[in-house]
PDB file of all heavy atoms in Angstrom:
ATOM      1  N   MET A   1       0.842  -1.206   0.000  1.00 85.00           N
ATOM      2  CA  MET A   1       0.000   0.000   0.000  1.00 85.00           C
ATOM      3  C   MET A   1       0.870   1.245   0.000  1.00 85.00           C
ATOM      4  O   MET A   1       0.566   2.226  -0.701  1.00 85.00           O
ATOM      5  CB  MET A   1      -0.942  -0.009   1.201  1.00 85.00           C
ATOM      6  CG  MET A   1      -2.053  -1.027   1.063  1.00 85.00           C
ATOM      7  SD  MET A   1      -3.201  -0.994   2.429  1.00 85.00           S
ATOM      8  CE  MET A   1      -4.079   0.510   2.094  1.00 85.00           C
ATOM      9  N   HIS A   2       1.964   1.227   0.743  1.00 84.00           N
ATOM     10  CA  HIS A   2       2.885   2.364   0.784  1.00 84.00           C
ATOM     11  C   HIS A   2       3.457   2.628  -0.619  1.00 84.00           C
ATOM     12  O   HIS A   2       3.514   3.781  -1.073  1.00 84.00           O
ATOM     13  CB  HIS A   2       4.009   2.091   1.784  1.00 84.00           C
ATOM     14  CG  HIS A   2       5.028   3.169   1.870  1.00 84.00           C
ATOM     15  ND1 HIS A   2       4.754   4.384   2.448  1.00 84.00           N
ATOM     16  CD2 HIS A   2       6.313   3.225   1.439  1.00 84.00           C
ATOM     17  CE1 HIS A   2       5.845   5.144   2.386  1.00 84.00           C
ATOM     18  NE2 HIS A   2       6.812   4.452   1.766  1.00 84.00           N
ATOM     19  N   ASP A   3       3.854   1.543  -1.305  1.00 87.00           N
ATOM     20  CA  ASP A   3       4.386   1.675  -2.663  1.00 87.00           C
ATOM     21  C   ASP A   3       3.324   2.249  -3.602  1.00 87.00           C
ATOM     22  O   ASP A   3       3.611   3.115  -4.436  1.00 87.00           O
ATOM     23  CB  ASP A   3       4.872   0.318  -3.186  1.00 87.00           C
ATOM     24  CG  ASP A   3       6.148  -0.152  -2.512  1.00 87.00           C
ATOM     25  OD1 ASP A   3       6.818   0.675  -1.841  1.00 87.00           O
ATOM     26  OD2 ASP A   3       6.488  -1.357  -2.636  1.00 87.00           O
ATOM     27  N   ARG A   4       2.068   1.809  -3.489  1.00 87.00           N
ATOM     28  CA  ARG A   4       0.985   2.312  -4.342  1.00 87.00           C
ATOM     29  C   ARG A   4       0.748   3.793  -4.096  1.00 87.00           C
ATOM     30  O   ARG A   4       0.570   4.580  -5.036  1.00 87.00           O
ATOM     31  CB  ARG A   4      -0.300   1.531  -4.077  1.00 87.00           C
ATOM     32  CG  ARG A   4      -0.306   0.168  -4.698  1.00 87.00           C
ATOM     33  CD  ARG A   4      -1.630  -0.509  -4.465  1.00 87.00           C
ATOM     34  NE  ARG A   4      -1.606  -1.882  -4.939  1.00 87.00           N
ATOM     35  CZ  ARG A   4      -2.547  -2.759  -4.693  1.00 87.00           C
ATOM     36  NH1 ARG A   4      -3.609  -2.413  -3.955  1.00 87.00           N
ATOM     37  NH2 ARG A   4      -2.462  -3.988  -5.166  1.00 87.00           N
ATOM     38  N   ILE A   5       0.722   4.162  -2.807  1.00 88.00           N
ATOM     39  CA  ILE A   5       0.497   5.571  -2.469  1.00 88.00           C
ATOM     40  C   ILE A   5       1.633   6.420  -3.022  1.00 88.00           C
ATOM     41  O   ILE A   5       1.387   7.487  -3.603  1.00 88.00           O
ATOM     42  CB  ILE A   5       0.359   5.753  -0.946  1.00 88.00           C
ATOM     43  CG1 ILE A   5      -0.957   5.123  -0.473  1.00 88.00           C
ATOM     44  CG2 ILE A   5       0.436   7.217  -0.546  1.00 88.00           C
ATOM     45  CD1 ILE A   5      -1.106   5.086   1.037  1.00 88.00           C
ATOM     46  N   GLU A   6       2.861   5.952  -2.869  1.00 89.00           N
ATOM     47  CA  GLU A   6       4.011   6.688  -3.405  1.00 89.00           C
ATOM     48  C   GLU A   6       3.883   6.852  -4.913  1.00 89.00           C
ATOM     49  O   GLU A   6       4.154   7.921  -5.469  1.00 89.00           O
ATOM     50  CB  GLU A   6       5.304   5.925  -3.075  1.00 89.00           C
ATOM     51  CG  GLU A   6       6.252   6.689  -2.222  1.00 89.00           C
ATOM     52  CD  GLU A   6       7.516   5.873  -1.923  1.00 89.00           C
ATOM     53  OE1 GLU A   6       8.115   5.294  -2.848  1.00 89.00           O
ATOM     54  OE2 GLU A   6       7.875   5.854  -0.745  1.00 89.00           O
ATOM     55  N   HIS A   7       3.478   5.784  -5.570  1.00 89.00           N
ATOM     56  CA  HIS A   7       3.329   5.808  -7.022  1.00 89.00           C
ATOM     57  C   HIS A   7       2.253   6.817  -7.428  1.00 89.00           C
ATOM     58  O   HIS A   7       2.431   7.601  -8.359  1.00 89.00           O
ATOM     59  CB  HIS A   7       2.977   4.401  -7.516  1.00 89.00           C
ATOM     60  CG  HIS A   7       2.803   4.301  -8.985  1.00 89.00           C
ATOM     61  ND1 HIS A   7       3.845   4.456  -9.864  1.00 89.00           N
ATOM     62  CD2 HIS A   7       1.686   4.073  -9.748  1.00 89.00           C
ATOM     63  CE1 HIS A   7       3.394   4.332 -11.094  1.00 89.00           C
ATOM     64  NE2 HIS A   7       2.082   4.093 -11.043  1.00 89.00           N
ATOM     65  N   LEU A   8       1.116   6.797  -6.701  1.00 89.00           N
ATOM     66  CA  LEU A   8       0.042   7.746  -7.001  1.00 89.00           C
ATOM     67  C   LEU A   8       0.490   9.175  -6.773  1.00 89.00           C
ATOM     68  O   LEU A   8       0.174  10.078  -7.564  1.00 89.00           O
ATOM     69  CB  LEU A   8      -1.182   7.426  -6.152  1.00 89.00           C
ATOM     70  CG  LEU A   8      -1.975   6.182  -6.539  1.00 89.00           C
ATOM     71  CD1 LEU A   8      -3.071   5.902  -5.508  1.00 89.00           C
ATOM     72  CD2 LEU A   8      -2.584   6.338  -7.921  1.00 89.00           C
ATOM     73  N   ILE A   9       1.229   9.405  -5.685  1.00 89.00           N
ATOM     74  CA  ILE A   9       1.709  10.761  -5.386  1.00 89.00           C
ATOM     75  C   ILE A   9       2.648  11.233  -6.478  1.00 89.00           C
ATOM     76  O   ILE A   9       2.553  12.376  -6.945  1.00 89.00           O
ATOM     77  CB  ILE A   9       2.393  10.807  -4.008  1.00 89.00           C
ATOM     78  CG1 ILE A   9       1.345  10.637  -2.906  1.00 89.00           C
ATOM     79  CG2 ILE A   9       3.154  12.111  -3.819  1.00 89.00           C
ATOM     80  CD1 ILE A   9       1.931  10.505  -1.516  1.00 89.00           C
ATOM     81  N   GLU A  10       3.529  10.348  -6.928  1.00 88.00           N
ATOM     82  CA  GLU A  10       4.458  10.722  -7.996  1.00 88.00           C
ATOM     83  C   GLU A  10       3.699  11.042  -9.283  1.00 88.00           C
ATOM     84  O   GLU A  10       4.061  11.967  -9.998  1.00 88.00           O
ATOM     85  CB  GLU A  10       5.459   9.590  -8.242  1.00 88.00           C
ATOM     86  CG  GLU A  10       6.516   9.503  -7.186  1.00 88.00           C
ATOM     87  CD  GLU A  10       7.458   8.316  -7.420  1.00 88.00           C
ATOM     88  OE1 GLU A  10       7.418   7.690  -8.499  1.00 88.00           O
ATOM     89  OE2 GLU A  10       8.236   8.021  -6.490  1.00 88.00           O
ATOM     90  N   LYS A  11       2.632  10.290  -9.577  1.00 87.00           N
ATOM     91  CA  LYS A  11       1.819  10.548 -10.764  1.00 87.00           C
ATOM     92  C   LYS A  11       1.163  11.917 -10.665  1.00 87.00           C
ATOM     93  O   LYS A  11       1.152  12.683 -11.623  1.00 87.00           O
ATOM     94  CB  LYS A  11       0.741   9.482 -10.921  1.00 87.00           C
ATOM     95  CG  LYS A  11       1.177   8.279 -11.651  1.00 87.00           C
ATOM     96  CD  LYS A  11      -0.038   7.394 -11.888  1.00 87.00           C
ATOM     97  CE  LYS A  11       0.329   6.150 -12.641  1.00 87.00           C
ATOM     98  NZ  LYS A  11      -0.846   5.281 -12.850  1.00 87.00           N
ATOM     99  N   GLN A  12       0.634  12.204  -9.455  1.00 87.00           N
ATOM    100  CA  GLN A  12      -0.044  13.489  -9.270  1.00 87.00           C
ATOM    101  C   GLN A  12       0.944  14.637  -9.382  1.00 87.00           C
ATOM    102  O   GLN A  12       0.648  15.659  -9.976  1.00 87.00           O
ATOM    103  CB  GLN A  12      -0.752  13.537  -7.919  1.00 87.00           C
ATOM    104  CG  GLN A  12      -2.008  12.719  -7.873  1.00 87.00           C
ATOM    105  CD  GLN A  12      -2.643  12.766  -6.491  1.00 87.00           C
ATOM    106  OE1 GLN A  12      -2.089  13.349  -5.567  1.00 87.00           O
ATOM    107  NE2 GLN A  12      -3.813  12.140  -6.368  1.00 87.00           N
ATOM    108  N   VAL A  13       2.114  14.451  -8.843  1.00 86.00           N
ATOM    109  CA  VAL A  13       3.125  15.516  -8.878  1.00 86.00           C
ATOM    110  C   VAL A  13       3.570  15.734 -10.327  1.00 86.00           C
ATOM    111  O   VAL A  13       3.707  16.859 -10.787  1.00 86.00           O
ATOM    112  CB  VAL A  13       4.323  15.145  -7.985  1.00 86.00           C
ATOM    113  CG1 VAL A  13       5.491  16.072  -8.231  1.00 86.00           C
ATOM    114  CG2 VAL A  13       3.905  15.199  -6.536  1.00 86.00           C
ATOM    115  N   SER A  14       3.769  14.646 -11.068  1.00 84.00           N
ATOM    116  CA  SER A  14       4.226  14.794 -12.453  1.00 84.00           C
ATOM    117  C   SER A  14       3.140  15.386 -13.328  1.00 84.00           C
ATOM    118  O   SER A  14       3.418  16.110 -14.269  1.00 84.00           O
ATOM    119  CB  SER A  14       4.715  13.456 -12.988  1.00 84.00           C
ATOM    120  OG  SER A  14       3.650  12.542 -13.066  1.00 84.00           O
ATOM    121  N   ARG A  15       1.841  15.158 -13.074  1.00 80.00           N
ATOM    122  CA  ARG A  15       0.745  15.727 -13.847  1.00 80.00           C
ATOM    123  C   ARG A  15       0.513  17.181 -13.494  1.00 80.00           C
ATOM    124  O   ARG A  15       0.288  18.003 -14.363  1.00 80.00           O
ATOM    125  CB  ARG A  15      -0.546  14.963 -13.554  1.00 80.00           C
ATOM    126  CG  ARG A  15      -0.681  13.709 -14.327  1.00 80.00           C
ATOM    127  CD  ARG A  15      -2.087  13.173 -14.157  1.00 80.00           C
ATOM    128  NE  ARG A  15      -2.037  11.734 -14.258  1.00 80.00           N
ATOM    129  CZ  ARG A  15      -2.908  10.900 -13.756  1.00 80.00           C
ATOM    130  NH1 ARG A  15      -3.926  11.375 -13.062  1.00 80.00           N
ATOM    131  NH2 ARG A  15      -2.793   9.636 -13.929  1.00 80.00           N
ATOM    132  N   GLY A  16       0.511  17.449 -12.260  1.00 69.00           N
ATOM    133  CA  GLY A  16       0.138  18.779 -11.807  1.00 69.00           C
ATOM    134  C   GLY A  16       1.304  19.733 -11.755  1.00 69.00           C
ATOM    135  O   GLY A  16       1.181  20.843 -11.258  1.00 69.00           O
ATOM    136  N   GLY A  17       2.451  19.366 -12.245  1.00 56.00           N
ATOM    137  CA  GLY A  17       3.612  20.236 -12.162  1.00 56.00           C
ATOM    138  C   GLY A  17       4.286  20.028 -10.840  1.00 56.00           C
ATOM    139  O   GLY A  17       4.074  19.051 -10.149  1.00 56.00           O
ATOM    140  N   HIS A  18       5.095  20.993 -10.522  1.00 52.00           N
ATOM    141  CA  HIS A  18       5.804  20.864  -9.253  1.00 52.00           C
ATOM    142  C   HIS A  18       4.955  21.421  -8.149  1.00 52.00           C
ATOM    143  O   HIS A  18       4.490  22.537  -8.210  1.00 52.00           O
ATOM    144  CB  HIS A  18       7.136  21.638  -9.327  1.00 52.00           C
ATOM    145  CG  HIS A  18       8.083  21.013 -10.302  1.00 52.00           C
ATOM    146  ND1 HIS A  18       8.645  19.795 -10.095  1.00 52.00           N
ATOM    147  CD2 HIS A  18       8.532  21.452 -11.503  1.00 52.00           C
ATOM    148  CE1 HIS A  18       9.429  19.506 -11.120  1.00 52.00           C
ATOM    149  NE2 HIS A  18       9.374  20.501 -11.997  1.00 52.00           N
ATOM    150  N   SER A  19       4.731  20.657  -7.162  1.00 49.00           N
ATOM    151  CA  SER A  19       3.922  21.080  -6.032  1.00 49.00           C
ATOM    152  C   SER A  19       4.794  21.790  -5.024  1.00 49.00           C
ATOM    153  O   SER A  19       5.947  21.450  -4.842  1.00 49.00           O
ATOM    154  CB  SER A  19       3.258  19.845  -5.406  1.00 49.00           C
ATOM    155  OG  SER A  19       2.676  20.192  -4.198  1.00 49.00           O
ATOM    156  N   SER A  20       4.226  22.795  -4.436  1.00 48.00           N
ATOM    157  CA  SER A  20       4.982  23.515  -3.416  1.00 48.00           C
ATOM    158  C   SER A  20       4.871  22.836  -2.073  1.00 48.00           C
ATOM    159  O   SER A  20       5.449  23.271  -1.094  1.00 48.00           O
ATOM    160  CB  SER A  20       4.475  24.960  -3.323  1.00 48.00           C
ATOM    161  OG  SER A  20       3.127  24.926  -2.949  1.00 48.00           O
ATOM    162  N   ARG A  21       4.056  21.807  -2.046  1.00 49.00           N
ATOM    163  CA  ARG A  21       3.878  21.081  -0.790  1.00 49.00           C
ATOM    164  C   ARG A  21       5.153  20.319  -0.452  1.00 49.00           C
ATOM    165  O   ARG A  21       5.754  19.683  -1.295  1.00 49.00           O
ATOM    166  CB  ARG A  21       2.714  20.097  -0.963  1.00 49.00           C
ATOM    167  CG  ARG A  21       2.367  19.305   0.276  1.00 49.00           C
ATOM    168  CD  ARG A  21       1.137  18.453   0.030  1.00 49.00           C
ATOM    169  NE  ARG A  21       1.440  17.287  -0.803  1.00 49.00           N
ATOM    170  CZ  ARG A  21       1.804  16.098  -0.313  1.00 49.00           C
ATOM    171  NH1 ARG A  21       1.897  15.909   0.970  1.00 49.00           N
ATOM    172  NH2 ARG A  21       2.060  15.086  -1.118  1.00 49.00           N
ATOM    173  N   VAL A  22       5.585  20.352   0.834  1.00 46.00           N
ATOM    174  CA  VAL A  22       6.776  19.659   1.308  1.00 46.00           C
ATOM    175  C   VAL A  22       6.363  18.248   1.722  1.00 46.00           C
ATOM    176  O   VAL A  22       5.366  18.066   2.402  1.00 46.00           O
ATOM    177  CB  VAL A  22       7.398  20.395   2.506  1.00 46.00           C
ATOM    178  CG1 VAL A  22       8.611  19.641   3.027  1.00 46.00           C
ATOM    179  CG2 VAL A  22       7.729  21.817   2.126  1.00 46.00           C
ATOM    180  N   ARG A  23       7.143  17.309   1.282  1.00 48.00           N
ATOM    181  CA  ARG A  23       6.829  15.926   1.637  1.00 48.00           C
ATOM    182  C   ARG A  23       7.172  15.643   3.095  1.00 48.00           C
ATOM    183  O   ARG A  23       8.153  16.152   3.610  1.00 48.00           O
ATOM    184  CB  ARG A  23       7.610  14.962   0.761  1.00 48.00           C
ATOM    185  CG  ARG A  23       7.132  14.957  -0.661  1.00 48.00           C
ATOM    186  CD  ARG A  23       7.846  13.893  -1.420  1.00 48.00           C
ATOM    187  NE  ARG A  23       7.328  13.824  -2.766  1.00 48.00           N
ATOM    188  CZ  ARG A  23       7.724  12.951  -3.644  1.00 48.00           C
ATOM    189  NH1 ARG A  23       8.647  12.064  -3.331  1.00 48.00           N
ATOM    190  NH2 ARG A  23       7.211  12.939  -4.847  1.00 48.00           N
ATOM    191  N   SER A  24       6.375  14.807   3.710  1.00 48.00           N
ATOM    192  CA  SER A  24       6.657  14.437   5.097  1.00 48.00           C
ATOM    193  C   SER A  24       7.709  13.342   5.110  1.00 48.00           C
ATOM    194  O   SER A  24       7.977  12.700   4.104  1.00 48.00           O
ATOM    195  CB  SER A  24       5.375  13.958   5.788  1.00 48.00           C
ATOM    196  OG  SER A  24       4.975  12.742   5.214  1.00 48.00           O
ATOM    197  N   LYS A  25       8.274  13.114   6.290  1.00 43.00           N
ATOM    198  CA  LYS A  25       9.313  12.087   6.445  1.00 43.00           C
ATOM    199  C   LYS A  25       8.789  10.708   6.084  1.00 43.00           C
ATOM    200  O   LYS A  25       9.513   9.879   5.545  1.00 43.00           O
ATOM    201  CB  LYS A  25       9.828  12.043   7.890  1.00 43.00           C
ATOM    202  CG  LYS A  25      11.022  12.874   8.139  1.00 43.00           C
ATOM    203  CD  LYS A  25      11.551  12.545   9.521  1.00 43.00           C
ATOM    204  CE  LYS A  25      12.856  13.256   9.740  1.00 43.00           C
ATOM    205  NZ  LYS A  25      13.399  12.990  11.063  1.00 43.00           N
ATOM    206  N   SER A  26       7.547  10.455   6.375  1.00 47.00           N
ATOM    207  CA  SER A  26       6.994   9.128   6.122  1.00 47.00           C
ATOM    208  C   SER A  26       6.970   8.813   4.634  1.00 47.00           C
ATOM    209  O   SER A  26       6.988   7.660   4.241  1.00 47.00           O
ATOM    210  CB  SER A  26       5.602   8.994   6.722  1.00 47.00           C
ATOM    211  OG  SER A  26       4.725   9.885   6.074  1.00 47.00           O
ATOM    212  N   GLU A  27       6.933   9.805   3.811  1.00 44.00           N
ATOM    213  CA  GLU A  27       6.936   9.568   2.375  1.00 44.00           C
ATOM    214  C   GLU A  27       8.322   9.135   1.882  1.00 44.00           C
ATOM    215  O   GLU A  27       8.438   8.483   0.864  1.00 44.00           O
ATOM    216  CB  GLU A  27       6.495  10.818   1.622  1.00 44.00           C
ATOM    217  CG  GLU A  27       5.028  11.106   1.819  1.00 44.00           C
ATOM    218  CD  GLU A  27       4.613  12.401   1.138  1.00 44.00           C
ATOM    219  OE1 GLU A  27       5.483  13.199   0.762  1.00 44.00           O
ATOM    220  OE2 GLU A  27       3.412  12.598   0.981  1.00 44.00           O
ATOM    221  N   TYR A  28       9.357   9.530   2.608  1.00 43.00           N
ATOM    222  CA  TYR A  28      10.715   9.194   2.203  1.00 43.00           C
ATOM    223  C   TYR A  28      11.239   7.903   2.832  1.00 43.00           C
ATOM    224  O   TYR A  28      12.344   7.487   2.553  1.00 43.00           O
ATOM    225  CB  TYR A  28      11.675  10.338   2.572  1.00 43.00           C
ATOM    226  CG  TYR A  28      11.459  11.552   1.716  1.00 43.00           C
ATOM    227  CD1 TYR A  28      10.796  12.647   2.239  1.00 43.00           C
ATOM    228  CD2 TYR A  28      11.898  11.586   0.414  1.00 43.00           C
ATOM    229  CE1 TYR A  28      10.576  13.762   1.463  1.00 43.00           C
ATOM    230  CE2 TYR A  28      11.696  12.696  -0.371  1.00 43.00           C
ATOM    231  CZ  TYR A  28      11.026  13.786   0.161  1.00 43.00           C
ATOM    232  OH  TYR A  28      10.819  14.877  -0.603  1.00 43.00           O
ATOM    233  N   VAL A  29      10.435   7.298   3.661  1.00 44.00           N
ATOM    234  CA  VAL A  29      10.882   6.077   4.328  1.00 44.00           C
ATOM    235  C   VAL A  29      11.025   4.984   3.283  1.00 44.00           C
ATOM    236  O   VAL A  29      10.113   4.737   2.498  1.00 44.00           O
ATOM    237  CB  VAL A  29       9.872   5.636   5.409  1.00 44.00           C
ATOM    238  CG1 VAL A  29      10.248   4.270   5.967  1.00 44.00           C
ATOM    239  CG2 VAL A  29       9.805   6.673   6.502  1.00 44.00           C
ATOM    240  N   SER A  30      12.169   4.402   3.237  1.00 46.00           N
ATOM    241  CA  SER A  30      12.378   3.323   2.270  1.00 46.00           C
ATOM    242  C   SER A  30      11.754   2.051   2.809  1.00 46.00           C
ATOM    243  O   SER A  30      11.724   1.812   4.011  1.00 46.00           O
ATOM    244  CB  SER A  30      13.863   3.114   2.009  1.00 46.00           C
ATOM    245  OG  SER A  30      14.495   2.692   3.185  1.00 46.00           O
ATOM    246  N   SER A  31      11.261   1.279   1.922  1.00 45.00           N
ATOM    247  CA  SER A  31      10.638   0.044   2.369  1.00 45.00           C
ATOM    248  C   SER A  31      11.721  -1.017   2.534  1.00 45.00           C
ATOM    249  O   SER A  31      12.526  -1.240   1.642  1.00 45.00           O
ATOM    250  CB  SER A  31       9.594  -0.405   1.356  1.00 45.00           C
ATOM    251  OG  SER A  31      10.212  -0.611   0.113  1.00 45.00           O
TER     252      SER A  31
END
């Protein structure tokens, strides 16, 4: 689920341009 969410977030970021939103630490946690 973490991998899917990361993938969706990356898709949204790549579609919507660069987001000014700062990613939280939990998003950078490697599996």
Side-chain angles (χ1 to χ4, degrees):
M1 288 183 73
H2 178 71
D3 288 346
R4 284 183 186 170
I5 291 172
E6 241 180 48
H7 180 68
L8 287 173
I9 290 173
E10 284 177 11
K11 274 187 179 179
Q12 285 178 356
V13 168
S14 65
R15 278 190 210 156
H18 293 292
S19 170
S20 61
R21 182 175 75 91
V22 178
R23 290 186 176 183
S24 68
K25 267 190 173 179
S26 65
E27 290 176 345
Y28 290 104
V29 172
S30 64
S31 60

